[in-house]
């Protein structure tokens, strides 16, 4: 088990290292001069004005020292939590801007991931058992999982918010409220949260239901299932064993889907104008706020790595093979 | 089958999870018999069952219909997809089948152009990802040892790195100017689960008798992978490509929607971006934002259903279901 964790943690640390290095490398070594690009975007034509601006940007990027120093400086700043100053929300530090947005994104992601995984697995397992349910769940599941996240968000916003008027269309809370610990504010939060949550939930749910249904069918073909059946074990018992075995790959699948789910949350937030990381990234793109984008990138990487680690721990809890040092979890 | 099943089951998870495949029990285990059988015969058998499978035929018809629409329909227009040709914000009519945007652009024309780029990005992005994933999977699984360790490390890193986040950074500095370059970026970041699955299957095949025999007869590693190992999982590889195709399409739609798509090219994601940006939802211009999403869902959904059908074709055990 120690080896299992050591291996996992090593991979995550290495991934973090790669991500930070990429983040440092891309602006510096990509074709084209980022400073020049930034300067041309400001559309200042006076050459006298450009020289000091270029100097300023060189200084901001820390481009006036040798490369290896730049790299070490970058790490040093990063480990102190300093990711630069946002251009769009000048002069707010990037870390602060992002930390304000992260709770909203997490509030969407965590419940939708957990609930869709749970419900999808339950429904998928039921579907593998009943013909009529299978015939409805399967096409529905495939349609849902093939739906782009933003489109389901658009459809929900249009139908339930604009036409039916049941839910608010945009924002994290009502515009006439200030964030506070009151019941009114909390109520408003929930109302604005529900539709983005629902659209994330629906798409993810389809994928899990299909995955579970297919896994169960394969499990029921396995030797142990046939053997139990030959022994005359009740079908319920066999199903239960199949379900447990099918859960493990579904758990691995969850880890692998994290990136897709985060991407889904980002576009869903954009549709609903939800004040999380997705909207922040959109604003950063539109305002050419490079530091904010790079900061958001690192936050997403860190979040995904932590989530992966949590799933690894859960894996150890549910799969005894990893505990006894056998090669259970796909390393 | 027993020696393959656990590994394959474990590795098939990524696909089974969100991307909906049920691939593990592809007839890899057919082993020597299959290898001895002439390839043409197997292809004919597969075709025989495929044409009698409702899911394969139905899914295939939908995909081909969209492909034809995307290829042919734009030819009948003498104006561009972004030109202001019609009345503003008018609903579907005989002249403008899907209505017009707030600027008087033809939504149907945008839609068919979008379908074109959808297929292009799926084909190129999915193809590239399949190529990288299979190469790495074959090499890692067949060569083993240190090479395997190194490739495994690489796979795991790309696997946990959130692709969209990396692409956002890449895009802001490089810029994506065409559909093929977008497909290139997507391909580079969506291969890891393929590499893992292919590696696991290669691993179980490399110790089979027929592979040993090929090695004894002096065949090179590359030839063994190409002629002995790959054909034994060809059905799985094909289904993998279909999944990657669908994944690329969804990924590209996400990028286009954020506004990181190729410039000057109409895509279904960009249509949704424009619709949201110009308040089509509030103005009730449903003909602007419903078709692009429906198009993507129909194409990707049809591909997934086709995949289920193909699974039944290649895996006789599932046919009775």
């Amino acid at each position: 088990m120690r080896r299992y964790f050591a291996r996992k943690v090593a991979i995550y640390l290495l991934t973090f290292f790669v991500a930070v290095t990429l983040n440092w490398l891309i602006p510096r070594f990509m074709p084209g001069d980022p400073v020049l690009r930034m300067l041309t975007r400001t559309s200042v034509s006076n050459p006298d004005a450009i020289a000091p601006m270029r100097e300023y940007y060189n200084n901001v990027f820390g481009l006036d020292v040798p490369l290896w120093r730049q790299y070490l400086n970058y790490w040093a700043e990063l480990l102190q939590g300093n990711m630069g100053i946002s251009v769009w929300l000048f002069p707010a530090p990037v870390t602060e801007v992002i930390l304000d947005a992260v709770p909203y994104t997490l509030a969407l992601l965590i419940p939708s991931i957990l609930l869709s995984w749970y419900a999808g697995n339950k429904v998928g397992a039921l579907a593998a058992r009943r013909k009529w349910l299978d015939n409805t769940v399967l096409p529905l599941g495939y349609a849902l999982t093939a739906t782009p996240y933003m489109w389901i968000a658009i459809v929900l916003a249009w139908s339930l918010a604009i036409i039916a008027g049941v839910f608010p269309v945009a924002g994290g809370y009502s515009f006439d409220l200030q964030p506070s610990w009151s019941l009114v504010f909390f109520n408003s939060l929930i109302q604005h949260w529900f539709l983005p949550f629902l659209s994330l939930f629906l798409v993810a749910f389809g994928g899990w239901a299909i995955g579970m249904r297919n896994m169960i069918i394969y499990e029921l073909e396995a030797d142990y299932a046939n053997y139990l059946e030959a022994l005359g074990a009740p079908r319920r018992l066999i199903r239960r064993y199949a379900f447990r075995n099918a859960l493990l790959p579904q758990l691995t699948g969850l880890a692998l889907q994290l990136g897709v789910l985060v991407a889904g949350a980002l576009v869903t937030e954009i549709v609903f104008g939800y004040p999380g990381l997705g909207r922040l990234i959109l604003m950063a793109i539109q305002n050419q706020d490079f530091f904010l984008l790079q900061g958001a990138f690192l936050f997403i990487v860190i979040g995904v790595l932590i989530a992966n680690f949590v799933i690894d721990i859960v894996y150890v809890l549910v799969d005894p093979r990893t505990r006894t040092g056998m090669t259970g979890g796909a390393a | 089958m027993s020696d393959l099943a656990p590994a394959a089951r474990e590795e098939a998870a990524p696909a089974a999870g969100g991307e909906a495949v049920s691939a593990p029990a592809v007839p890899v285990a057919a082993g020597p018999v299959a290898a001895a059988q002439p390839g043409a015969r197997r292809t004919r058998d597969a075709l025989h069952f495929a044409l009698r499978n409702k899911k394969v035929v139905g899914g295939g018809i939908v995909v081909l219909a969209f492909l034809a629409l995307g290829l042919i329909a734009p030819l009948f227009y003498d104006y561009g997809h972004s030109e202001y040709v019609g009345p503003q914000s008018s609903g579907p009519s005989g002249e403008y089948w899907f209505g017009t945007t707030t600027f008087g652009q033809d939504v149907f024309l945008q839609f068919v152009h979008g379908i074109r780029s959808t297929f292009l990005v799926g084909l190129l992005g999915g193809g590239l990802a399949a190529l990288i994933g299979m190469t790495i999977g074959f090499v890692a699984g067949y060569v083993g040892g240190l090479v395997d360790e190194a490739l495994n490390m690489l796979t795991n890193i790309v696997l946990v790195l959130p692709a969209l986040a990396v692409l956002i950074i890449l895009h802001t500095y490089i810029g994506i100017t065409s559909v093929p370059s977008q497909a290139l970026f997507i391909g580079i970041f969506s291969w890891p689960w393929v590499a893992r699955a292919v590696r696991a299957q290669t691993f179980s095949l490399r110790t089979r008798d027929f592979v040993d025999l090929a090695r004894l007869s002096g065949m090179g590693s590359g030839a063994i992978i190409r002629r002995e190992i790959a054909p034994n999982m060809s059905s799985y590889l094909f289904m993998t490509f279909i999944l990657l195709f669908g994944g690329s399409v969804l990924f590209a739609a996400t990028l286009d929607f954020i506004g990181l798509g190729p410039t000057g090219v109409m895509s279904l994601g960009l249509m949704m971006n424009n619709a949201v940006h110009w308040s089509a939802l509030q103005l009730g211009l449903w003909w602007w934002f419903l078709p692009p999403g429906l198009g993507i869902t129909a194409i990707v959904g049809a591909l997934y259903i086709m995949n289920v059908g193909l699974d039944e074709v290649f895996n006789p055990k599932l046919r009775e279901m």
Side-chain angles (χ1 to χ4, degrees), chain A residues 243-258:
Chain A
F243 181 74
R244 284 180 165 196
N245 274 310
L247 267 182
L248 293 180
Q250 287 285 80
L251 202 56
T252 319
L254 182 59
L256 294 167
Q257 282 293 309
L258 282 173

Side-chain angles (χ1 to χ4, degrees), chain B residues 294-312:
Chain B
L294 267 181
I296 295 177
T297 310
I299 294 172
V300 179
L303 283 171
Y304 285 170
I305 300 265
M306 227 171 106
N307 230 18
V308 184
L310 284 175
D311 203 13
E312 292 172 3

Side-chain angles (χ1 to χ4, degrees), chain A residues 1 248 314-326 328-329:
Chain A
M1 188 165 85
L248 293 180
V314 175
Y315 212 104
V316 171
L317 294 179
V318 296
D319 186 356
R321 285 174 302 179
T322 42
R323 255 172 292 164
T324 51
M326 290 162 74

